[in-house]
RNA sequence: GGAAGAGUGGCAGAGCUGGUUGAAUGCACCGGUCUUGAAAACCGGCGUGCGUUAACGCGUACCGGGGGUUCGAAUCCCUCCUCUUCCGCCA
């Protein structure tokens, strides 16, 4: 969420950013609504504070008058106070209304995009930041999509998942399950070697938590909701892990805060359909290793680059052809200022699969989280937060299976063999 | 699930028979004196949000969350949450 003060002081910047996000002039009027609502909020508060000051000073006097036995004068003041109180009640209501309305408006404003975010309407306009260097032609013998390979080698059973839960809940079996576990262990080992602290968080979170990272209220329909206890199943480890720093004042020397965690992720994916959702391409439950950083504002873009190159390195180690996209204004998420997507090429499907999305949220999340630090002048400032996946494993799995198939079976990438303890699925 | 107790500033810990208590005291932290330096000692400072101001400052709100009683609440009442201990149940 943006701060009103920021919008007030950087109006041009906000407009520029919203235009990159393809906002129409009509929609831009939201900015003025925000500012005028904030004005009336301030007015109410100034008036209210004055009344409250009157009540406070009279109350003090009343106490003193009673002590010195002047009950009559005290009673006089009491009636004055009750009159003031009526007015103050009105103003309080007014102010609270303004605050609620302001909040509602602010929730509609997306993050400011970074100057390097290209204009564009959607996916097709994303900038290829780092193209893929490998040959992407379909090689001889790479014919089967992962759902066919799954059946052939009996390592993944979507139908079984559909029976016991519903469609989009994969069941991994045998070497498939083991490969999945190998990926988790390998990635966690690599990432923790880079100084990330490993976290195993709760998989269900409360409302406050979901709100702080922005899943509520905007994405309520995307989360599974356990209504009996009012808990939400996490759509990503980003939610519980980032919330570890909700309402925390970070010490300068604690930067950068680097955390990682493996969790299953649960997404309702309401409204998805078609070829996109086949096999592991889009599922309701998938495993993911997430990386999160909370940094000093001056360092966050440097950090973003480091995160992207670390994640790229992991794809290289897994011997997967990939490219990096810089998301355009039409595709960058509501909360992000700058996002790089890493896509892996599935040779059998002949299509790109997004396996990681690395973003800098600047202060957009930390504002809601109230995650701050004291700068060198002793001033409270919001920290920057970033996160990325390393990786969404369902799709990495899909690509490994497809790209490494041959008549002999599916070859396991070298770095994973110590974890799988087999080198081929056949 | 049942019973009892507790939740106060970075931490520890008073206040809780309602009225200079935004909150004692100690520790930690920052600045200074002293010292060759450090430690100790001494002096001073040390919460956050919002409003207002050119600024110093002033006002206001906050003692787990929400609501209530009262002229006035950290202090009384209601409710929710969390923690501790005891009992029950259980992987």
């Amino acid at each position: 969420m943006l701060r009103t003060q920021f919008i007030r002081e950087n109006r041009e910047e906000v407009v520029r950013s919203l235009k990159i996000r393809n906002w129409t002039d009509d929609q831009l009027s939201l900015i003025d609504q925000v500012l005028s609502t904030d004005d009336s909020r301030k007015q109410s508060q100034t008036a209210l504070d004055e009344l409250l000051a009157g009540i406070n000073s009279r109350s003090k006097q009343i106490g003193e008058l009673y002590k010195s036995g002047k009950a009559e004068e005290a009673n006089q003041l009491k009636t004055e106070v009750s009159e003031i109180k009526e007015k103050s009640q009105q103003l309080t209501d007014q102010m609270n209304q303004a605050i609620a309305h302001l909040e509602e408006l602010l929730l509609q404003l997306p993050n400011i995009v970074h100057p390097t975010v290209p204009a564009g309407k959607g996916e097709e306009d994303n900038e290829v930041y780092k193209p893929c260097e490998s040959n992407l032609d379909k090689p001889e013998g790479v014919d089967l999509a992962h759902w066919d390979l799954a059946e052939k080698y009996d390592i993944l059973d979507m139908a079984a998942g559909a029976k016991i839960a519903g469609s989009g809940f994969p069941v991994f079996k045998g070497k498939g399950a083991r490969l999945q576990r190998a990926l988790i262990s390998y990635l966690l080992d690599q990432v923790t070697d880079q100084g990330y602290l490993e976290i195993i968080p709760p998989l269900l979170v409360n409302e406050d938590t979901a709100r702080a990272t922005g899943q509520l209220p905007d994405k309520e329909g995307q989360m599974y909701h356990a209504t009996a206890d009012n808990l939400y199943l996490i759509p990503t480890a980003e939610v519980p892990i980032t919330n570890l720093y909700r309402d925390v004042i970070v010490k300068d020397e604690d930067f950068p805060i680097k955390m990682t965690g493996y969790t299953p992720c649960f997404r309702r994916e309401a409204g998805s359909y078609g070829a996109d959702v086949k096999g592991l391409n889009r599922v309701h439950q998938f495993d993911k290793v997430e990386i999160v950083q909370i940094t000093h504002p001056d360092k966050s873009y440097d950090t973003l680059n480091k995160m992207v190159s670390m994640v790229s390195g992991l794809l290289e180690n897994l011997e997967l052809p990939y490219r990096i996209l810089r998301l355009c204004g039409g595709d960058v998420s509501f909360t992000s200022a700058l996002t790089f997507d890493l896509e892996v090429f599935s040779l059998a499907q002949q299509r790109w699969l997004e396996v990681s999305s690395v973003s800098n949220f600047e202060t957009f999340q930390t504002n809601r989280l109230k995650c701050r630090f004291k700068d060198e002048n002793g001033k409270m400032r919001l920290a920057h937060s970033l996160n990325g996946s390393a990786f969404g494993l369902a799709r990495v799995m899909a690509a490994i299976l497809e790209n490494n198939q041959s008549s002999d079976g599916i070859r396991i990438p070298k770095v994973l063999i110590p974890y799988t303890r087999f080198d081929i699925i056949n």
Side-chain angles (χ1 to χ4, degrees):
Chain A
M1 196 156 68
L2 296 175
R3 287 155 301 148
T4 323
Q5 194 196 348
F6 177 87
I7 298 168
R8 204 178 279 285
E9 290 168 1
N10 301 278
R11 198 204 158 84
E12 290 312 302
E13 168 83 355
V14 175
V15 170
R16 178 199 65 82
S17 164
L18 289 174
K19 283 189 172 161
I20 293 277
R21 287 184 185 269
N22 305 307
W23 279 41
T24 62
D25 288 347
D26 219 27
Q27 292 175 295
L28 288 176
S29 69
L30 185 63
I31 299 174
D32 287 321
Q33 288 179 53
V34 165
L35 294 182
S36 67
T37 306
D38 189 47
D39 285 338
S40 61
R41 185 205 112 239
K42 284 184 182 180
Q43 266 174 32
S44 305
Q45 192 186 336
T46 307
L48 177 63
D49 281 358
E50 213 169 293
L51 292 184
L52 291 176
I55 292 175
N56 285 342
S57 69
R58 282 179 179 77
S59 295
K60 245 175 220 170
Q61 285 178 47
I62 290 169
E64 282 159 21
L65 287 171
Y66 271 128
K67 267 184 203 157
S68 49
K70 296 173 183 166
E72 225 169 89
E73 288 176 49
N75 286 331
Q76 168 70 29
L77 282 176
K78 272 197 200 180
T79 52
E80 277 181 41
V81 169
S82 18
E83 280 164 26
I84 300 175
K85 245 196 147 175
E86 263 177 54
K87 279 190 222 160
S88 78
Q89 195 51 55
Q90 280 176 23
L91 275 171
T92 305
D93 293 346
Q94 237 180 65
M95 189 176 75
N96 287 339
Q97 264 175 37
I99 289 172
H101 186 48
L102 183 63
E103 165 98 7
E104 204 180 292
L105 295 174
L106 285 173
L107 283 173
Q108 297 170 43
L109 276 179
N111 201 358
I112 301 295
V113 294
H114 190 263
T116 61
V117 169
K121 298 282 179 214
E123 292 182 35
E124 63 284 358
D125 299 318
N126 291 333
E127 171 196 325
V128 179
Y129 177 75
K130 182 171 184 275
C132 183
E133 285 150 14
S134 333
N135 174 15
L136 300 180
D137 296 334
K138 197 189 263 199
E140 196 71 21
V142 174
D143 298 318
L144 299 178
H146 65 270
W147 48 86
D148 294 324
L149 291 165
E151 205 170 316
K152 180 171 174 186
Y153 297 109
D154 198 24
I155 50 176
L156 166 67
D157 192 339
M158 296 304 291
K163 184 176 77 180
I164 60 177
S167 80
F169 288 92
V171 172
F172 291 98
K173 297 197 285 191
K175 286 187 170 176
R178 182 145 201 152
L179 174 57
Q180 181 82 352
R181 184 154 56 87
L183 273 166
I184 294 165
S185 300
Y186 169 71
L187 292 170
L188 281 175
D189 281 358
Q190 291 293 306
V191 169
T192 50
D193 280 352
Q194 296 300 313
Y196 286 80
L197 180 70
E198 184 175 346
I199 306 282
I200 300 182
L203 305 182
L204 283 88
V205 297
N206 59 32
E207 244 177 275
D208 285 346
T209 297
R211 176 163 291 109
T213 29
Q215 277 67 31
L216 291 178
D218 2 332
K219 292 184 194 156
E220 168 137 40
Q222 282 297 330
M223 286 187 293
Y224 289 97
H225 187 189
T227 52
D229 298 290
N230 197 25
L231 295 170
Y232 293 87
L233 274 76
I234 58 169
T236 158
E238 165 201 340
V239 176
I241 291 180
T242 311
N243 265 276
L244 291 172
Y245 281 85
R246 171 152 52 91
D247 293 320
V248 168
I249 295 170
V250 178
K251 290 205 181 76
D252 213 2
E253 62 264 30
D254 292 339
F255 285 133
I257 293 156
K258 302 164 83 172
M259 296 176 288
T260 184
Y262 149 71
T263 69
C265 301
F266 304 93
R267 299 188 183 178
R268 294 186 63 224
E269 300 289 2
S272 302
Y273 61 91
D276 273 1
V277 308
K278 195 135 194 228
L280 294 172
N281 288 357
R282 188 179 293 269
V283 284
H284 291 304
Q285 178 181 329
F286 61 95
D287 291 322
K288 181 156 65 66
V289 173
E290 182 78 0
I291 52 178
V292 174
Q293 287 212 35
I294 293 171
T295 72
H296 190 284
D298 296 347
K299 299 279 167 59
S300 64
Y301 280 97
D302 187 39
T303 300
L304 181 65
N305 288 335
K306 283 186 186 153
M307 287 168 77
V308 170
S309 59
M310 180 181 80
V311 171
S312 318
L314 294 172
L315 287 178
E316 280 162 24
N317 293 349
L318 292 170
E319 304 162 42
L320 292 169
Y322 72 96
R323 66 176 183 181
I324 304 177
L325 302 178
R326 192 203 303 262
L327 298 193
C328 72
D331 206 27
V332 69
S333 78
F334 189 84
T335 50
S336 171
L338 178 60
T339 297
F340 292 99
D341 270 9
L342 285 86
E343 294 185 331
V344 156
F345 196 73
S346 150
L347 291 171
Q349 294 182 66
Q350 282 290 301
R351 56 180 288 186
W352 292 101
L353 296 174
E354 178 197 330
V355 293
S356 176
S357 191
V358 186
S359 305
N360 188 354
F361 302 102
E362 299 197 9
T363 61
F364 200 81
Q365 277 187 334
T366 51
N367 186 30
R368 275 206 225 183
L369 283 169
K370 294 214 264 325
C371 173
R372 297 167 296 172
F373 71 101
K374 264 191 187 148
D375 71 11
E376 57 280 8
N377 301 317
K379 238 186 97 182
M380 279 294 185
R381 289 173 63 189
L382 293 167
H384 279 192
S385 72
L386 304 94
N387 71 46
S389 21
F391 302 96
L393 292 181
R395 293 176 185 164
V396 169
M397 173 81 110
I400 289 178
L401 297 179
E402 293 178 8
N403 293 8
N404 296 335
Q405 62 182 303
S406 72
S407 51
D408 299 336
I410 298 164
R411 186 182 57 80
I412 300 299
K414 221 178 273 164
V415 291
L416 291 180
I417 294 172
Y419 294 91
T420 54
R421 288 158 43 190
F422 54 79
D423 58 8
I424 195 155
I425 297 175
N426 53 16

